[in-house]
Amino acid sequence: SEGTYGDSNGSISVFSEEEKIQTVENLGDIVQSIEIDDDKLFVIVNNSHLIKRYSITESGLNLPGIEISTNNSSPREMVIVGNKLYFTNWNSHDVKVLDLVTFSIISSISLNGIPEDIVSKDEYLYVSIPQLELYDTNNGSTVVQININTEEITNTYEVGRGPEQMFIDNNDLYISRTFYSSDWVSATYGSSMIDLETEEILIIDYGMGMVCGGNILKLNNQIYRTVNGGIAPLTTDLNLNISSKIGAYQNLYSASSSNENLYLGISDYVGPDTVYIHDQLGELIRVLPVGVLPKDFAFWTNH
């Protein structure tokens, strides 16, 4: 859970089945993203400019863990490939590379703009760039491809204004987009898709009245996007199939999926908040209490 800006009350809630077995509180200012690699949990704390790492056990996270400073970089999202963790940064306008053996930042890849999400496929990273300058109403319009071996940008895709969150399904890279009017009064939402084999790009903007979140996920072998308090499947032309929407919550903040279940984070911006779990048919099966602003989800199985 993110926690409220400036209060350093970001937290992690750990559940085993229906039981909350651990809460790790006061992790810092804005817990932005979490990622599991084998038996390790990595946590990016955006406004504290930290990456934290914990060992995972059946009883929860081993504390206190370790933390790595990102030197005021404003880290955002991450992906792990081999023994390196790649993470995007607002302040330094780059992707930094963390060596998971030495836990030192060993290089950075400069970008023409301010990056947000990062995903990987084969020997490439893909990074969305929604902003050209900080808080510019999302005037960026590109996704860049980076060769992991050379750490060089090898392609730039024009995908429409405001690309943010991404999801790769086979050879298709799906992108959620949000951008704003110059006075920040109104938002426009859209989706894009890059066929990574043919490099064909499909772009769509949605009409007035659609209130889309940024999350894109896979459930029931379909790609869904958050919209109007729930998630709706994307059609082949990226339109939203509202008739098949799951969920209708007033304060939907985040969405994720795992093991055929859907996880919806609901927040009133005060907390404590709640995660609602639906099965693949859309039925509500469980409710979990969490911290303020549930933002990201990660799932661990003891092998």
Side-chain angles (χ1 to χ4, degrees):
S1 299
E2 268 188 22
T4 47
Y5 180 79
D7 288 339
S8 295
N9 60 341
S11 64
I12 294 174
S13 302
V14 184
F15 296 87
S16 178
E17 300 298 337
E18 299 182 20
E19 179 187 1
K20 181 187 280 190
I21 61 172
Q22 187 181 30
T23 301
V24 185
E25 298 181 318
N26 301 318
L27 286 174
D29 193 355
I30 306 298
V31 172
Q32 177 69 28
S33 55
I34 59 177
E35 187 84 11
I36 285 176
D37 182 49
D38 292 330
D39 294 333
K40 302 293 188 292
L41 176 72
F42 292 86
V43 183
I44 283 182
V45 190
N46 169 249
N47 205 39
S48 295
H49 312 288
L50 295 173
I51 297 176
K52 296 175 178 278
R53 192 220 69 174
Y54 301 95
S55 295
I56 307 171
T57 71
E58 286 187 342
S59 57
L61 303 178
N62 277 341
L63 303 179
I66 65 172
E67 68 178 38
I68 303 103
S69 170
T70 69
N71 299 315
N72 200 42
S73 71
S74 188
R76 300 291 291 179
E77 305 291 335
M78 62 183 143
V79 67
I80 296 170
V81 182
N83 61 358
K84 294 178 181 177
L85 184 151
Y86 301 84
F87 62 101
T88 59
N89 302 273
W90 274 15
N91 287 349
S92 52
H93 298 197
D94 62 9
V95 172
K96 295 188 187 299
V97 184
L98 177 68
D99 188 305
L100 297 183
V101 177
T102 63
F103 295 106
S104 59
I105 296 173
I106 56 175
S107 62
S108 63
I109 305 163
S110 296
L111 300 169
N112 184 24
I114 299 174
E116 182 65 12
D117 203 11
I118 181 168
V119 294
S120 67
K121 178 177 171 58
D122 301 327
E123 69 270 30
Y124 295 107
L125 305 170
Y126 296 89
V127 180
S128 60
I129 303 182
Q131 303 177 80
L132 300 178
E133 298 177 356
L134 198 58
Y135 305 121
D136 67 357
T137 68
N138 280 11
N139 286 324
S141 61
T142 60
V143 169
V144 298
Q145 179 193 66
I146 298 170
N147 185 294
I148 291 175
N149 298 314
T150 64
E151 296 184 0
E152 295 179 347
I153 295 173
T154 50
N155 210 337
T156 299
Y157 303 95
E158 286 286 343
V159 298
R161 192 175 158 201
E164 294 185 326
Q165 298 302 306
M166 300 185 291
F167 185 89
I168 293 181
D169 183 44
N170 296 319
N171 290 310
D172 295 328
L173 173 57
Y174 291 87
I175 306 134
S176 68
R177 297 186 295 107
T178 304
F179 55 95
Y180 303 89
S181 59
S182 59
D183 57 6
W184 292 93
V185 170
S186 61
T188 301
Y189 304 93
S191 296
S192 301
M193 187 189 74
I194 306 169
D195 185 319
L196 298 177
E197 280 192 330
T198 66
E199 297 191 344
E200 180 181 354
I201 301 173
L202 183 61
I203 302 171
I204 185 172
D205 289 343
Y206 302 123
M208 298 297 292
M210 290 289 188
V211 180
C212 301
N215 295 114
I216 288 187
L217 55 94
K218 189 173 184 179
L219 186 72
N220 297 327
N221 292 315
Q222 290 183 291
I223 303 299
Y224 285 75
R225 177 167 179 183
T226 45
V227 58
N228 293 346
I231 64 166
L234 293 177
T235 64
T236 55
D237 58 2
L238 300 185
N239 277 298
L240 290 155
N241 182 2
I242 299 298
S243 64
S244 297
K245 186 166 73 79
I246 300 172
Y249 295 95
Q250 271 194 322
N251 300 303
L252 179 65
Y253 196 70
S254 60
S256 186
S257 62
S258 178
N259 296 327
E260 299 182 341
N261 286 337
L262 169 66
Y263 298 78
L264 299 176
I266 312 301
S267 178
D268 60 4
Y269 290 82
V270 177
D273 289 323
T274 307
V275 170
Y276 289 80
I277 305 177
H278 293 252
D279 64 20
Q280 60 182 328
L281 299 177
E283 296 297 321
L284 179 65
I285 57 174
R286 198 171 303 150
V287 179
L288 306 179
V290 295
V292 181
L293 296 171
K295 176 64 177 359
D296 204 5
F297 303 81
F299 305 91
W300 177 77
T301 300
N302 183 13
H303 300 291

